[in-house]
Amino acid sequence: MTAPVPISDVQFNTASGILAFTAEVYNGTSTLDETAKRDRKEQERADTGQVYDELWVRHWDTFVSPKLSQIHTLKLVNGHHDQFKPKSEIRNIIRDTPSHGRLDATDSFVFSNDGRQIAFVAKKPARDYAWKTTSYVYLADVDGSAAAPINPGKGGASSSPAFSADGTKIVYLQMDDPAYEADRNRIKIYNIDDQSTNIVADDWKLSPSHVDWVDDSTLLVTYNDWGRNKMAKIDIASGEITPIISEHVVGAVRRLSGTNSRLIDYSAMDSPTDLYTVSLDDGKLTRVTNLNPELTKDVLSPTEDLEFVGADNATIHGFILHPPNFDPEKKYPLAFVIHGGPQSSFSDAWSTRWNLNIFAAAGFVTVAMDPQGSTGYGQDFTDAIRNQWGGKPYESLIKSLHQLLESHPYIDSDRMAALGASYGGYMINWINGHFDGFKALVNHDGMFSTVSTYYSTEELYFPETEFEGVPFDEKARENYERWSPERFVANWKTPTLVIHSEKDYRLVVSEGLSTFTALRRQGVPARLLYFPDENHWVLKPANSLRWHQEVLEWITKWTKDTSDDSKDGEFDKFDVDVDVGRTSGSNRFHIQND
């Protein structure tokens, strides 16, 4: 059979013969055919107007449609020649329940082992949809006869539900704060029979991102900890944590039926992502794929950990990478990279965006620090950025920079560039108004005005938490104004490359245009790189190439060795050769400075 509308997240439970999938459907429709019929009518409309009565008009890079992503089930039986055929009608299992709302994520539902129930995460549509993070774990029968939240109340975002082997319990993660997307995830276990909930390892200071069952008495988690995304087992009764993987970065985790192992994706800054199996008994890693054999540690720069003292005498952790054929007796320019979020961190992971090895390969000593606001250092450290955007994080970055120069004399303090995206782009603008030690800056999708950003972004819970209120409240308005880079435009003097994209609805394109206007109107050297077809991230291969070429040429132009005046006023040209045909998502790159 062929579905009349697009479907995704397809899962099949062999025990029950139930096929489940998500499909976007119109509110009130009973069948997928009804949605398909309405789709055709929409396409025949002469106008293109879209009407909204409440917030959540758009998200990330897409305007919100009237359709809702909901879970559907279908009973299959094995017919002739091992071909499955439907035994039931397709059912929308959440159409008539209080969970009638958008699912939080695409891979957001799980079967019980016997295939009779499904757990999923959903957020109720409401007037406060844009300024509350609250979402719930729902338990539904696959026939749609019952569905209800297992964690009703006023908590924060929920995630990662998983059934126990006997189907009597569900473990999941939930934040407490209903307006804070970076609150600590608590581990909770719901007993289906008596509807009770227990919290596991409540005194643990770190925040897991994934949870699953090992057995009836043990859980499996992944979590960010000092620049590594680790894997560990947790004893349910005692909360004792037993590490399994403590180096590099564990990504997605999948069960392997009939074994006590997991399939994971695993990477490091000097090792592109590959699939591995890991034994939960002894932590043994077995490599499954080797998708980029040419990218060896002989080609890529290894990472070294850094620790400096920042604001509040806090330890500020980060990484340093050196150029190929590094000679400590020589002088090198510095690429000082600032992460976005701000509640995220630099991890020892492979990435096709902001890959630190790119800058090292171009001849820069590359440094990336995690100031206040970063994750993986305890919730207090993450929370320390609230109403401190240009305060403690800025102080820690500049203090770390000074300590870096003192302890690494091969870095040329007259040839430094700073680069950042999102919050990192905000920090670039803030630095330009407060510090003139860099010869060049790169601002990717950064914030120009805290006030204008509030009124144009989509997730209002973010600025309302960060600046402790709304900008039309007199007291909170002082916070917005205090930390707005726009107030310090008159101090800007460092040459800046500004990058922004049209489909960025998190920080809209006017933030980049305003930054470029402020620079050029004052005669500060600047360049604007604009992508009409990208969002907050630059993802298309050709656009990624252009991004890297522009960035490398810009920072090289302004940090070149002044003893070589043969190219005065010129851009060094970079040939960035990227093989984008790999299925792993890893890119093979070669950088040649012409």
Side-chain angles (χ1 to χ4, degrees):
M1 62 179 293
T2 301
V5 298
I7 65 173
S8 58
D9 313 328
V10 179
Q11 299 185 39
F12 180 67
N13 183 273
T14 56
S16 64
I18 297 292
L19 180 76
F21 58 87
T22 57
E24 292 191 352
V25 297
Y26 292 99
N27 189 19
T29 56
S30 299
T31 67
L32 297 182
D33 287 326
E34 288 182 39
T35 288
K37 183 178 180 180
R38 184 167 169 182
D39 278 341
R40 290 191 292 270
K41 287 185 177 181
E42 288 292 313
Q43 293 169 4
E44 293 168 359
R45 278 201 301 145
D47 72 291
T48 59
Q50 294 175 254
V51 177
Y52 300 88
D53 295 312
E54 294 291 351
L55 290 175
W56 210 247
V57 172
R58 59 186 186 177
H59 189 240
W60 191 245
D61 60 4
T62 305
F63 275 78
V64 174
S65 82
K67 295 195 288 187
L68 307 172
S69 180
Q70 299 191 330
I71 302 171
H72 297 71
T73 60
L74 173 66
K75 174 74 173 180
L76 299 179
V77 294
N78 197 346
H80 295 295
H81 306 296
D82 290 328
Q83 292 185 346
F84 286 91
K85 62 181 182 179
K87 188 181 178 181
S88 68
E89 297 295 325
I90 295 175
R91 300 184 183 92
N92 181 338
I93 68 171
I94 62 176
R95 183 174 67 89
D96 298 321
T97 72
S99 60
H100 199 70
R102 294 181 180 86
L103 298 182
D104 281 341
T106 54
D107 190 18
S108 54
F109 69 88
V110 291
F111 274 107
S112 60
N113 281 354
D114 62 11
R116 295 181 179 180
Q117 293 181 304
I118 284 176
F120 62 93
V121 175
K123 187 174 180 179
K124 291 182 180 179
R127 182 174 176 269
D128 61 5
Y129 202 95
W131 62 89
K132 295 295 183 184
T133 63
T134 305
S135 61
Y136 304 101
V137 176
Y138 286 84
L139 178 62
D141 293 339
V142 295
D143 62 3
S145 61
I150 66 173
N151 56 336
K154 298 181 179 180
S158 303
S159 61
S160 195
F163 285 93
S164 60
D166 62 5
T168 63
K169 299 180 180 67
I170 298 174
V171 65
Y172 63 98
L173 303 175
Q174 187 172 23
M175 300 178 182
D176 286 345
D177 193 328
Y180 187 29
E181 66 176 1
D183 194 15
R184 180 168 70 91
N185 271 322
R186 272 74 174 180
I187 304 170
K188 299 186 177 183
I189 296 178
Y190 175 78
N191 188 306
I192 296 174
D193 293 333
D194 63 17
Q195 300 183 2
S196 62
T197 300
N198 295 316
I199 299 177
V200 178
D202 194 35
D203 58 352
W204 192 28
K205 302 303 181 184
L206 297 176
S207 183
S209 55
H210 169 83
V211 63
D212 198 359
W213 297 85
V214 177
D215 52 43
D216 291 343
S217 61
T218 314
L219 300 175
L220 181 71
V221 294
T222 60
Y223 58 99
N224 188 3
D225 184 18
W226 284 79
R228 278 82 184 174
N229 207 51
K230 301 178 180 180
M231 174 183 282
K233 293 187 288 189
I234 298 183
D235 181 78
I236 293 174
S238 67
E240 181 182 357
I241 297 168
T242 303
I244 298 174
I245 299 176
S246 298
E247 296 298 325
H248 310 312
V249 166
V250 177
V253 181
R254 293 292 182 269
R255 296 179 181 179
L256 292 173
S257 179
T259 75
N260 200 29
S261 296
R262 295 292 188 271
L263 180 69
I264 64 172
D265 70 61
Y266 191 55
S267 72
M269 285 190 189
D270 59 358
S271 180
T273 305
D274 272 300
L275 297 178
Y276 288 75
T277 61
V278 55
S279 168
L280 302 188
D281 296 322
D282 58 13
K284 180 182 178 181
L285 282 165
T286 302
R287 189 170 193 152
V288 177
T289 64
N290 187 14
L291 298 174
N292 294 273
E294 69 278 26
L295 284 178
T296 66
K297 296 185 185 298
D298 295 331
V299 176
L300 300 169
S301 298
T303 60
E304 299 175 22
D305 289 76
L306 294 172
E307 288 187 7
F308 298 118
V309 179
D312 294 336
N313 290 317
T315 299
I316 308 301
H317 172 261
F319 294 104
I320 184 171
L321 288 77
H322 296 90
N325 304 312
F326 172 70
D327 182 352
E329 299 302 317
K330 295 181 179 180
K331 288 282 191 177
Y332 292 88
L334 173 69
F336 194 73
V337 187
I338 305 167
H339 68 66
Q343 289 88 359
S344 77
S345 64
F346 285 109
S347 294
D348 184 18
W350 185 260
S351 175
T352 55
R353 296 179 300 106
W354 291 92
N355 188 312
L356 300 184
N357 252 290
I358 290 283
F359 306 106
F364 288 81
V365 172
T366 304
V367 170
M369 304 302 300
D370 280 346
Q372 281 83 352
S374 300
T375 54
Y377 306 94
Q379 194 62 38
D380 289 345
F381 191 83
T382 300
D383 295 346
I385 193 175
R386 293 171 70 165
N387 199 25
Q388 278 287 317
W389 267 42
K392 293 178 182 179
Y394 168 76
E395 181 183 344
S396 290
L397 288 170
I398 299 304
K399 283 185 173 181
S400 294
L401 175 64
H402 288 316
Q403 294 166 70
L404 173 74
L405 295 175
E406 291 175 0
S407 57
H408 297 72
Y410 51 80
I411 297 174
D412 191 338
S413 61
D414 291 325
R415 299 165 62 202
M416 302 191 301
L419 312 87
S422 195
Y423 172 76
Y426 163 94
M427 185 55 70
I428 292 298
N429 282 346
W430 189 263
I431 285 172
N432 212 352
H434 295 80
F435 179 73
D436 60 3
F438 292 105
K439 289 296 189 290
L441 301 173
V442 177
N443 171 351
H444 173 101
D445 290 357
M447 185 185 295
F448 177 76
S449 166
T450 54
V451 176
S452 64
T453 291
Y454 176 86
Y455 290 108
S456 58
T457 195
E458 2 87 288
E459 295 180 347
L460 294 183
Y461 46 76
F462 179 72
E464 289 183 14
T465 297
E466 296 303 301
F467 303 114
E468 300 181 344
V470 294
F472 42 87
D473 173 80
E474 183 177 353
K475 183 178 180 180
R477 178 72 178 219
E478 295 177 0
N479 299 335
Y480 282 84
E481 295 284 359
R482 179 185 183 188
W483 303 118
S484 183
E486 183 272 337
R487 290 183 55 229
F488 305 96
V489 162
N491 298 336
W492 289 8
K493 58 177 68 73
T494 305
T496 304
L497 172 64
V498 182
I499 306 170
H500 226 103
S501 300
E502 188 66 38
K503 298 184 73 175
D504 184 355
Y505 301 156
R506 183 63 43 84
L507 288 166
V508 300
V509 70
S510 59
E511 295 299 301
L513 294 173
S514 298
T515 299
F516 186 66
T517 297
L519 290 161
R520 291 305 300 133
R521 184 62 181 85
Q522 297 182 95
V524 178
R527 172 172 281 193
L528 174 66
L529 175 59
Y530 166 74
F531 292 104
D533 54 349
E534 297 283 5
N535 55 36
H536 203 52
W537 302 337
V538 175
L539 300 174
K540 297 181 178 180
N543 288 343
S544 179
L545 287 175
R546 182 62 182 270
W547 187 97
H548 283 92
Q549 289 168 340
E550 293 286 348
V551 168
L552 294 177
E553 288 173 4
W554 184 261
I555 62 176
T556 300
K557 170 186 169 63
W558 296 101
T559 62
K560 69 183 183 70
D561 189 347
T562 55
S563 64
D564 179 10
D565 58 6
S566 62
K567 294 185 178 181
D568 187 40
E570 296 182 7
F571 280 96
D572 284 1
K573 299 300 180 182
F574 281 85
D575 172 26
V576 183
D577 172 27
V578 179
D579 177 2
V580 295
R582 302 285 175 158
T583 57
S584 69
S586 302
N587 286 354
R588 177 175 58 84
F589 62 87
H590 167 70
I591 298 179
Q592 179 176 334
N593 183 347
D594 294 331

